[in-house]
Amino acid sequence: MVSIGLWLVGARGSVATTAIAGLLALRDRIVQPEGCVSALPQFEGSGLPTWDEIRVGGHDIAETALDKRAELLTDSGVIPHRVLDAVRSGLSEVDGDIRGGYHPATHSGSQADAARRLADDIGEFSSRHGLDRVVVVNVSSTEPVFPSLPEHRTLEALEAAMAVPGRTVLPPSSVAAYAAIRAGCPFVDFTPSTGIRLPALTELARRQAIPYAGSDGKTGETLVRSTLAPMFAARALSVRSWSGTNLLGGGDGLTLADAEHAGSKLASKGRGLATLLGSEVTAPLHIDNVPDLGEQKIAWDHVSFSGFLGVRMSVQFTWSGYDSALAAPLVLDLARFTSAAHAAGKAGPLGALGFFFKDPVGTDEHRLAEQFAALVSWAGEL
Amino acid sequence: MVSIGLWLVGARGSVATTAIAGLLALRDRIVQPEGCVSALPQFEGSGLPTWDEIRVGGHDIAETALDKRAELLTDSGVIPHRVLDAVRSGLSEVDGDIRGGYHPATHSGSQADAARRLADDIGEFSSRHGLDRVVVVNVSSTEPVFPSLPEHRTLEALEAAMAVPGRTVLPPSSVAAYAAIRAGCPFVDFTPSTGIRLPALTELARRQAIPYAGSDGKTGETLVRSTLAPMFAARALSVRSWSGTNLLGGGDGLTLADAEHAGSKLASKGRGLATLLGSEVTAPLHIDNVPDLGEQKIAWDHVSFSGFLGVRMSVQFTWSGYDSALAAPLVLDLARFTSAAHAAGKAGPLGALGFFFKDPVGTDEHRLAEQFAALVSWAGEL
Amino acid sequence: MVSIGLWLVGARGSVATTAIAGLLALRDRIVQPEGCVSALPQFEGSGLPTWDEIRVGGHDIAETALDKRAELLTDSGVIPHRVLDAVRSGLSEVDGDIRGGYHPATHSGSQADAARRLADDIGEFSSRHGLDRVVVVNVSSTEPVFPSLPEHRTLEALEAAMAVPGRTVLPPSSVAAYAAIRAGCPFVDFTPSTGIRLPALTELARRQAIPYAGSDGKTGETLVRSTLAPMFAARALSVRSWSGTNLLGGGDGLTLADAEHAGSKLASKGRGLATLLGSEVTAPLHIDNVPDLGEQKIAWDHVSFSGFLGVRMSVQFTWSGYDSALAAPLVLDLARFTSAAHAAGKAGPLGALGFFFKDPVGTDEHRLAEQFAALVSWAGEL
Amino acid sequence: MVSIGLWLVGARGSVATTAIAGLLALRDRIVQPEGCVSALPQFEGSGLPTWDEIRVGGHDIAETALDKRAELLTDSGVIPHRVLDAVRSGLSEVDGDIRGGYHPATHSGSQADAARRLADDIGEFSSRHGLDRVVVVNVSSTEPVFPSLPEHRTLEALEAAMAVPGRTVLPPSSVAAYAAIRAGCPFVDFTPSTGIRLPALTELARRQAIPYAGSDGKTGETLVRSTLAPMFAARALSVRSWSGTNLLGGGDGLTLADAEHAGSKLASKGRGLATLLGSEVTAPLHIDNVPDLGEQKIAWDHVSFSGFLGVRMSVQFTWSGYDSALAAPLVLDLARFTSAAHAAGKAGPLGALGFFFKDPVGTDEHRLAEQFAALVSWAGEL
Ligand SMILES: NC(=O)c1ccc[n+]([C@@H]2O[C@H](COP(=O)([O-])OP(=O)(O)OC[C@H]3O[C@@H](n4cnc5c(N)ncnc54)[C@H](O)[C@@H]3O)[C@@H](O)[C@H]2O)c1
Ligand SMILES: NC(=O)c1ccc[n+]([C@@H]2O[C@H](COP(=O)([O-])OP(=O)(O)OC[C@H]3O[C@@H](n4cnc5c(N)ncnc54)[C@H](O)[C@@H]3O)[C@@H](O)[C@H]2O)c1
Ligand SMILES: NC(=O)c1ccc[n+]([C@@H]2O[C@H](COP(=O)([O-])OP(=O)(O)OC[C@H]3O[C@@H](n4cnc5c(N)ncnc54)[C@H](O)[C@@H]3O)[C@@H](O)[C@H]2O)c1
Ligand SMILES: NC(=O)c1ccc[n+]([C@@H]2O[C@H](COP(=O)([O-])OP(=O)(O)OC[C@H]3O[C@@H](n4cnc5c(N)ncnc54)[C@H](O)[C@@H]3O)[C@@H](O)[C@H]2O)c1
Ligand code: NA
Ligand code: NA
């Protein structure tokens, strides 16, 4: 039997825990694959690995065991009681494949050492379970914006800097990406962090002929935006302003409300809107930390537009979703598609996976319908 | 210079008046073609008639002159003051090309007589202005549901029945469609009324090699629905219920709030939703007459859906638009596209125009993005 | 120790079950009295019976035991898991005090017999537990509108008709009210059904010096309306239309979507709005049955109003609540207040309890702030 | 005939221009007093000055004449065309009573000089028209937060500092307040600026026995908040978070989006919410400048609360109003009430006018219904 690995950076976070619990439940056939794009009939012939063929491990810097994390998610309404009961022992098993992640605050030595250790963890996971390949997906906390450095430009300069003990030339997400590629694994960035998006790292991926995908899972407000914005364009309606507010609790809420972190998230949201509308519009955007919402995310968008004879109209929407429940199945989808792409010999940025991301690499297409069509056609040729 | 005619059934209604005022303003270059799909760069090479090449006439049973109707629309915020001032005399000129429409309540004689008279009006309009072709667009009041009769099945049976004095075998919209085809004119139904959608009439169109399009302009809630619903499908999210409420004033509000009339409108809205979602869902839908809203239409939709592990989520939107401002440019678009299709020798149902309709003839595609792609590719081959 | 009884008609319904489970949880001090008006500091000196002093029994025509009903409410998110676990045995105990209710479809004999049996059930409950008094609260399914009959006018005529075997001169809610008063118990109608609101029955209450209250608990959309509408009046803003849509699942959704039943609910909602605004406005209102919402109720209201120089503005709100969670604490509040009123010798309609009702008896005040002030001052004098 | 003056600081702004145009229209009986609280029947016996008895003048630093400003407001939908036509010449007449305002950037000399000049302008306006009294209302641009200085503590210290040439010891709003009191005129602050709220200035008002009122007109989101929040308190529902977003264009939008200016506005909004709910809650609040909205203001509020058994629920509202249309009638109301209070010998802070303000002086009551009751009873005793 073919067998693939899904290695999660941030393996004990909300998204990861939900994805793992869900995978176990899917394997046990106790839930339907709701929210799983890869389970749509359109992808039946694409030879994607089945739920039974995926094994999970990962890195995290948190200590809370997966089953404890899952209990919290059950209280928050993300994982149903009966699913938790059914997957509890499976979670503990997966937890045994989680290793300590890299974080500059606790690491001593060079980043080269750190990367080597991370790559070794992945390699051992692969051998331990006799896996055909391992896909690394970053679902760790969003990082603050990292400054651009000259060492990021070439692989040579980068590796020289990484070798200097005590130097922090890369943010953790990029160390993770580097380690993944060095371990021969495709890398997917589900977060807005830098990850692989540095010339030195894409150079490495190209040399090693490794595929990668990202960035920043498209799950809530942006998902609706990328669906709705093309309507205005197709109808020749001029969007005058598109204002948004996001209320979120959970770990992500705390991280993102911090101005600097939000910087990278807001940027990746903003990029899409301008592209979708074909021009810059007034687009104030806020992310607020509202702890009592727990895992829920509420987003309100107000779009002001003008039509025939300049008449002013508006549409507003309120999205009320559970972020982790929206993100988790996409993580599984990405593991399946990326693994199949790797098996099929694809390398470099997988633009066809842009459907899943707020800020897609390898493509400029942000319109959801077009992205879906592209995904279907690409998968049809795997 | 090529010159085409746009013959409006219901030429003194809100939609018609706005379309006419807008056409005059576009011709004078005092407004931008906002809301005009046919003015998008994608259609530049399709050889569509220009604003200057379109001449308007029509039928109506109302007496209020176009400029008076336009004044009301100015008070309601649909036509800007400066536009009204600029087009006032042009409106009076067009008003001179409006003839009395057919209505069973005021007509004596057979429906064959009525149809002949309507066809003659169109013919005279065409000769008077030396037009190359005339497109007939029905923008008259939505009719109550009309019973299905055996005479509707074949042209022969139908014409025999139409010849009987005093018999009302067809609703007015179908008399208009019949007259249009008999006059050699393409027919577009912008309303949910029966129009050409009877076997006998489509037979006639086929025989005469005339193209037609419809039904029911897609301008507000349904426009958003056909944009948003595919998102759930593409993301494997299960829509559990999709509830809608429409508040509208204006003449249309009055007509549609009447249960029987709403019957045909609600039906054409409902058909689309089930197709879009791939299955029937609970979908209560209301149309309320709220006179103080004037020409404004407010629609609220609440979509309840489930995702990964069955978790329940929701999205709701409020649309606040001016119906006539949304509909009018589409009437002009339809005149341009249908005229070009006729010139290019197309006949029968124009499925590629499904983009414009709630209940498209000649196609089963309801997804807006796919409809737009189909329109662009079809127009590219005209 | 003083000890009072709360006799629920419809004791196995959602509202009743939630109220009972909550009372048990309050008694165990495992929850805070959130949502309980009577627990506010303003009522501390009013000598209301404590949670420990209330014992519950009731009538129902359903057989599902209380703990089974409570499980369903736990799945729907109304009763937390830990509360269910803690009160399960208490629920079974209360279930032992539930007797078969009266329903014309299953009853043979006269309505007088039925009423006698109901009154006896209450009396036995009272003696069994040595209660000082019993308050009867109707939380059974909303009834269809019942025709007005001449026999409703006087007690004498009514009792004569009730004595006729096989005659259904009263709807069940009124049989329940009659039985309550005959048993010497205050009667509270939490539903929009007829209940005590017949001249013959209020005559009986007056003669027996029994207090009563009603009708139709004010929990969702109407609660917000009675809060918001006075703002427009105080600011001299003219409401032009107030449109509403209610989406609800659950047993109540099913019952109310039925046109005839909704009749009584819509009527009691409508009465309030006109009174609040000081004049009739366009106010379309819908109640839709959307089963997937379960115990959740979503209401959307759109208010169009004009201000200075006639300028048009709007406010809209979406209410997303759990009806039973909103209603249940009010049922406990009503038991406490009504019991204290009875103890204090009050008789007839308790207008001061209008705060709790959509269609209050004994008062014309619908404004929430004024109702609350009246309640506080009335309770201060108990 | 009695005759009073209304002296507007910021007399050429949106609020002022709308108030003036409206007053002229009311005087001509071409509009109804919609939005005018003082025109409610409750205040008929209070001896308020009539529309005919009010004469307007003011200060501004802008040069645009009132009729030009009014044209812009007509384009924005605040002043109807027919009203503009009717009041155009009246506006020019009022414009003749507008004098150059004080601004530190353009002033040379001491603030004492400036204040003297402002007071003289008011005095001359009063004599020129033979007025019985003049009420000064500040409707000028919101100021940035001004630092607290020791000189603000006593009148003596303040006047000493004001006499120093070139020193800016007071923000313009406080110079205006000082000048008003020195001219013997009641002062009303419709803005969140400092105005009279300094110990030295309230001391002056007390000594001169002059009444004053403020601060920050309550017109949109806060109006709804002060109506809705008491509902949660009265129903013992615990508000967990109350999040708000304000989208506004216009001059105010530009001023307020500036972080520092918004500081004072957000502070005055925040103070109310905590008082209304009885405790601090998570309450993120944003003000965004969205120029295309013109004079329109859209506010979205999301309230998350818990009820019985801790169950989580929510209500959200969207307010869509024209700020100037909401504010202008209140300015006229305040002139009428304050003038009557002055005539009746009231002095010091007019807490009974708290109904009109976000951050009322002289009272801690923020609940709208209670504020209205207090206003009615106070006015009844004038
Ligand atoms: N949930 C969504 O809908 C969604 C959508 C798009 C992107 N994302 C992104 O996914 C990521 C995860 O979201 P979440 O809600 O699970 O957040 P979370 O805070 O629950 O989990 C993040 C996890 O990453 C771990 N972590 C932090 N730094 C690490 C490091 N250096 N190495 C290894 N592990 C580390 C944390 O300990 C934690 O367990 C975030 O970056 C978020 O922005 C989520
Ligand atoms: N406005 C939109 O967004 C929109 C969208 C889809 C469909 N429609 C449809 O377009 C139609 C027109 O809408 P409207 O708002 O202009 O309505 P309207 O009531 O303002 O105008 C309808 C006009 O049709 C005329 N008419 C009625 N019966 C006629 C007859 N037998 N022959 C000729 N004329 C007749 C009326 O006198 C009136 O002038 C309606 O059927 C409506 O349902 C409108
Ligand atoms: N939930 C709210 O917020 C709210 C607000 C106002 C009014 N109400 C009213 O409260 C009532 C109860 O609501 P619910 O959600 O609990 O409904 P439900 O359907 O869950 O419960 C009603 C119960 O009444 C029982 N019943 C029916 N006929 C009876 C009869 N003749 N005698 C005795 N029992 C009978 C049913 O068997 C059922 O157990 C309804 O009338 C509803 O309109 C509820
Ligand atoms: N519109 C509302 O609903 C509302 C509600 C509460 C408070 N307010 C406050 O009312 C004020 C006016 O609002 P607006 O929309 O009319 O703003 P605006 O910008 O249209 O008008 C402000 C006017 O003040 C003038 N001004 C500025 N500095 C001055 C000075 N030092 N002396 C004299 N005049 C000066 C400006 O030239 C301008 O004409 C603002 O402070 C606003 O925050 C408005
Ligand atoms: Na919600
Ligand atoms: Na709106």
Side-chain angles (χ1 to χ4, degrees), chain C residues 34-35 218 235-236 238 306 316, chain D residues 34-35 218 235-236 238 306 318:
Chain C
E34 281 185 286
K218 178 156 80 171
R235 279 292 172 96
S238 320
S306 60
Q316 57 182 280
Chain D
E34 281 184 286
K218 179 156 81 172
R235 278 295 171 94
S238 320
S306 59
T318 302

Side-chain angles (χ1 to χ4, degrees), chain B residues 200-247:
Chain B
L201 296 181
T202 56
E203 182 190 338
L204 175 63
R206 207 170 43 244
R207 282 204 209 162
Q208 310 280 93
I210 299 284
Y212 58 88
S215 298
D216 203 6
K218 178 156 80 171
T219 48
E221 186 191 46
T222 311
L223 177 65
V224 183
R225 287 180 164 201
S226 70
T227 305
L228 215 49
M231 177 187 85
F232 297 102
R235 279 293 172 96
L237 300 165
S238 320
V239 171
R240 298 304 173 108
S241 60
W242 193 309
S243 311
T245 295
N246 291 268
L247 313 178

Side-chain angles (χ1 to χ4, degrees), chain C residues 18-23 25-26 31-37 40 77-80 82-83 218-219 223-224 227-238 240 305-326 328-330 332 355-357 367-370 372-373, chain D residues 18-23 25-26 31-37 40 77-80 82-83 218-219 223-224 227-238 240 305-326 328-330 332 355-357 367-370 372-373:
Chain C
T18 309
I20 297 166
L23 177 63
L26 284 164
V31 295
Q32 294 298 314
E34 281 185 286
C36 298
V37 175
L40 286 172
V78 174
I79 301 180
R82 60 175 195 97
V83 169
K218 178 156 80 171
T219 49
L223 177 64
V224 182
T227 305
L228 215 49
M231 178 187 83
F232 296 102
R235 279 292 172 96
L237 300 165
S238 320
R240 297 304 173 107
F305 63 96
S306 60
F308 203 48
L309 306 179
V311 168
R312 312 304 301 262
M313 302 179 268
S314 72
V315 64
Q316 57 182 280
F317 67 83
T318 301
W319 171 265
S320 173
Y322 287 89
D323 254 18
S324 302
L326 289 158
L330 305 186
L332 301 181
F355 173 72
F356 295 99
F357 298 110
R367 296 170 297 169
L368 194 83
E370 280 70 11
F372 186 62
Chain D
T18 308
I20 298 166
L23 176 64
L26 284 163
V31 295
Q32 295 298 314
E34 281 184 286
C36 298
V37 174
L40 287 172
V78 173
I79 301 180
R82 58 174 197 99
V83 168
K218 179 156 81 172
T219 50
L223 177 65
V224 183
T227 305
L228 214 50
M231 177 187 84
F232 296 102
R235 278 295 171 94
L237 300 165
S238 320
R240 298 303 174 109
F305 63 96
S306 59
F308 203 49
L309 307 179
V311 168
R312 312 305 299 261
M313 301 179 268
S314 72
V315 64
Q316 57 182 279
F317 67 82
T318 302
W319 170 266
S320 173
Y322 286 90
D323 254 18
S324 302
L326 289 157
L330 305 186
L332 301 181
F355 173 72
F356 295 100
F357 297 110
R367 294 171 298 170
L368 194 82
E370 279 71 12
F372 186 62

Side-chain angles (χ1 to χ4, degrees), chain D residues 17 46 71 121 125 179 305 360 381:
Chain D
T17 306
S46 298
E71 277 170 24
D121 289 342
F125 168 69
F305 63 96
E381 290 164 18

